[in-house]
Amino acid sequence: MENQVKKKGKNKNPNNHPINPNWAQLRQKLNIQGSKPNLSGPSPNSDGDVKPTVLGKRKERSDLSAFDSQPNDVLEPVNSDFSLTNEIAMDCEMVGVSPEGNRSALGRVTLVNKWGNVIYDEFVRPVERVVDYRTQISGIRPRDLKKAKDFPTVQKKVAELMKGRILVGHALRNDLKALLLSHPKKDMRDTSEYQPFLKGSQRKALRHLATEFLGVTIQTGEHCPVEDARAAMLLYQRHRKEWERSAKDRTRLVEKQKKRKNKKKAKTTESSDMNGPLA
C-alpha cells in the first residue's frame, strides 16, 4: 500500500510527465537565448586570440581624440612656403639714440608672408651712435649690431618688398617712420586701428589682441619681431573677409569725397573767372 502511495506521489511531479516534442524544442531555444553572459572577460576566438570588446574600441578612440585635441602653437607657420605673397606683415624693434637715448632708431626689421614664414629679417646699424639698446624690450644686444647691415641697404630692400602689396602690422606708422618710408593708406592693414579691435576709441596693445582673439600669450619678456609679425598677420587673416570689405567701402568713400571736393573747387574757379575784372 505504501509503495502504491509513493508511486502516486512520484507521478504527481510534473517533470516526470512526458513533454510534447514541440514544447521541448521551445524550452531549449528559450534556455539558449536566456543564458547568462560571460562576465569573466572576452572569449577567445578560433585562433586562440582574445577579441577586443566594443568598449575597448571606444576607449581607444577616446584616447586618440584626446591626443589629437592637444593645443598647438597657432603662430607657427602651417607650411614651408617662403614665397613673397600679396600680403606681408612687418614688425620693427627700436634702439635709443641721441645723448639721452630717448629718440628711437631702427634696430631690427622683420617681414613675414601670409603663411607666417620669414621672408626678411635683418638687424640694422643706425646712422647715429646707439646709447640705449633697450634689450629688455627689443631683445637687441651690442653684438647683434656689430655686423648688422647699414640703414640705407635695409631701407631699400624693405621698400622693394612692400611695393604694391598689402602691408599688415601693429602701429605701422611707427615702423614706417623708423624706416623713413611711406605706404598707401588703402594698402595698410593696421591691427591697432581696425574698428572691431578697438575698445571704444581706445587702441589695444598687440599682446592684448593676441590673447583675446588668438588665445596666445606674447611679449612676456623681450619682444620677438617674428612672433609679433605673425600675430598681426594671423589677426588679419582671421578677419580678412570683413576687413577687406570695410577697406573697399572706405576707399569708395574717400574717392567720392575727393570728386566732390574737385567739383566744388572747379565751380569756385569758374565763378571767380566769370566775376573777374574786365580788361
Side-chain angles (χ1 to χ4, degrees), residues 93 108 134-141 143-144 218-225 227-228:
E93 296 299 334
R108 183 181 176 183
R134 303 176 183 176
T135 305
Q136 291 182 343
I137 297 177
S138 69
I140 299 174
R141 291 165 173 77
R143 65 173 180 268
D144 296 325
I218 62 173
Q219 299 179 348
T220 55
E222 298 177 6
H223 291 195
C224 173
E227 187 177 65
D228 292 352

Coordinates of all heavy atoms in Angstrom, one line a residue, residues 93 108 134-141 143-144 218-225 227-228:
E93 N 61.9 96.6 -34.3 CA 62.4 96.8 -32.9 C 63.3 98.0 -33.0 O 64.1 98.2 -33.9 CB 63.1 95.6 -32.3 CG 62.2 94.4 -32.2 CD 61.0 94.6 -31.2 OE1 61.1 95.5 -30.3 OE2 60.0 93.9 -31.4
R108 N 66.0 96.5 -35.8 CA 65.8 95.3 -36.4 C 64.4 95.4 -37.2 O 63.5 96.0 -36.6 CB 65.7 94.1 -35.4 CG 65.5 92.7 -36.0 CD 65.5 91.7 -34.9 NE 65.2 90.4 -35.4 CZ 65.0 89.3 -34.7 NH1 65.2 89.3 -33.4 NH2 64.8 88.1 -35.2
R134 N 67.9 99.0 -25.3 CA 66.6 98.7 -24.9 C 66.3 97.2 -24.9 O 65.3 96.7 -25.3 CB 65.5 99.4 -25.7 CG 65.7 100.9 -25.7 CD 64.7 101.6 -26.7 NE 64.8 103.0 -26.7 CZ 64.2 103.8 -27.5 NH1 63.2 103.3 -28.3 NH2 64.4 105.1 -27.5
T135 N 67.3 96.4 -24.5 CA 67.3 95.0 -24.6 C 66.1 94.3 -23.9 O 65.6 93.3 -24.4 CB 68.6 94.4 -24.0 OG1 69.8 95.0 -24.6 CG2 68.7 92.9 -24.2
Q136 N 65.7 94.8 -22.8 CA 64.6 94.2 -22.1 C 63.3 94.2 -22.9 O 62.5 93.3 -22.8 CB 64.3 95.0 -20.8 CG 65.4 94.9 -19.7 CD 65.0 95.7 -18.5 OE1 64.1 96.5 -18.5 NE2 65.7 95.3 -17.4
I137 N 63.2 95.1 -23.9 CA 62.0 95.1 -24.8 C 62.4 94.6 -26.2 O 61.8 93.8 -26.8 CB 61.4 96.5 -24.8 CG1 60.8 96.8 -23.4 CG2 60.2 96.5 -25.9 CD1 60.2 98.2 -23.4
S138 N 63.5 95.2 -26.7 CA 63.8 95.0 -28.1 C 64.5 93.6 -28.3 O 64.5 93.1 -29.4 CB 64.8 96.1 -28.6 OG 66.1 96.0 -28.0
G139 N 65.2 93.1 -27.3 CA 66.0 91.9 -27.4 C 67.3 92.1 -28.2 O 68.0 91.1 -28.4
I140 N 67.6 93.3 -28.5 CA 68.8 93.6 -29.2 C 70.0 93.9 -28.3 O 69.8 94.6 -27.3 CB 68.6 94.9 -30.1 CG1 67.4 94.6 -31.1 CG2 69.9 95.2 -30.9 CD1 67.1 95.8 -31.9
R141 N 71.1 93.3 -28.6 CA 72.3 93.4 -27.8 C 73.5 94.0 -28.7 O 73.4 93.9 -29.9 CB 72.8 92.1 -27.3 CG 71.8 91.6 -26.2 CD 72.0 90.1 -25.9 NE 71.1 89.7 -24.8 CZ 69.8 89.5 -24.9 NH1 69.2 89.6 -26.0 NH2 69.1 89.1 -23.8
R143 N 76.3 93.0 -29.6 CA 76.9 92.0 -30.6 C 76.0 91.9 -31.8 O 76.5 91.5 -32.9 CB 77.1 90.7 -29.9 CG 75.8 90.0 -29.5 CD 76.2 88.5 -29.0 NE 74.9 87.8 -28.6 CZ 74.5 87.8 -27.4 NH1 75.1 88.5 -26.4 NH2 73.4 87.1 -27.1
D144 N 74.7 92.1 -31.7 CA 73.8 92.0 -32.8 C 74.0 93.0 -33.9 O 73.8 92.8 -35.1 CB 72.3 92.0 -32.4 CG 72.0 90.9 -31.4 OD1 72.5 89.8 -31.6 OD2 71.2 91.1 -30.5
I218 N 52.0 86.6 -25.9 CA 53.2 87.0 -26.5 C 53.8 88.2 -25.7 O 53.1 88.7 -24.8 CB 53.0 87.5 -27.9 CG1 52.0 88.7 -28.0 CG2 52.5 86.3 -28.8 CD1 51.9 89.3 -29.4
Q219 N 55.0 88.6 -25.9 CA 55.6 89.7 -25.3 C 55.7 89.6 -23.8 O 55.4 90.6 -23.1 CB 54.9 91.0 -25.8 CG 54.9 91.3 -27.3 CD 54.2 92.5 -27.7 OE1 53.5 93.2 -26.9 NE2 54.4 93.0 -28.9
T220 N 56.0 88.5 -23.3 CA 56.1 88.3 -21.8 C 57.4 88.8 -21.3 O 57.6 89.0 -20.2 CB 55.9 86.8 -21.5 OG1 56.8 86.0 -22.2 CG2 54.5 86.4 -21.8
G221 N 58.4 88.9 -22.2 CA 59.7 89.4 -21.9 C 60.2 90.2 -23.1 O 59.6 91.2 -23.5
E222 N 61.4 89.9 -23.6 CA 61.9 90.5 -24.7 C 61.0 90.3 -25.9 O 60.6 89.1 -26.1 CB 63.4 90.0 -25.0 CG 64.4 90.3 -23.9 CD 65.7 89.7 -24.2 OE1 65.9 89.1 -25.3 OE2 66.6 89.8 -23.3
H223 N 60.8 91.3 -26.7 CA 59.9 91.1 -27.8 C 60.6 90.4 -29.0 O 61.8 90.6 -29.2 CB 59.4 92.5 -28.4 CG 58.5 93.2 -27.4 ND1 57.7 94.3 -27.8 CD2 58.2 93.0 -26.1 CE1 57.0 94.7 -26.7 NE2 57.3 93.9 -25.7
C224 N 59.8 89.6 -29.7 CA 60.3 88.9 -30.8 C 59.6 89.4 -32.1 O 58.4 89.2 -32.2 CB 60.1 87.4 -30.7 SG 60.6 86.5 -32.2
P225 N 60.3 90.1 -33.0 CA 59.6 90.7 -34.1 C 58.9 89.7 -35.0 O 57.9 89.9 -35.7 CB 60.7 91.5 -34.8 CG 61.9 90.9 -34.4 CD 61.7 90.4 -33.0
E227 N 57.6 86.8 -34.0 CA 56.3 86.4 -33.3 C 55.3 87.5 -33.4 O 54.1 87.2 -33.7 CB 56.6 86.1 -31.8 CG 55.5 85.6 -31.0 CD 55.9 85.3 -29.6 OE1 56.2 86.2 -28.9 OE2 55.9 84.1 -29.2
D228 N 55.7 88.8 -33.3 CA 54.7 89.9 -33.4 C 54.2 90.0 -34.8 O 53.0 90.3 -35.0 CB 55.4 91.2 -32.9 CG 55.8 91.2 -31.5 OD1 55.3 90.3 -30.7 OD2 56.5 92.1 -31.0

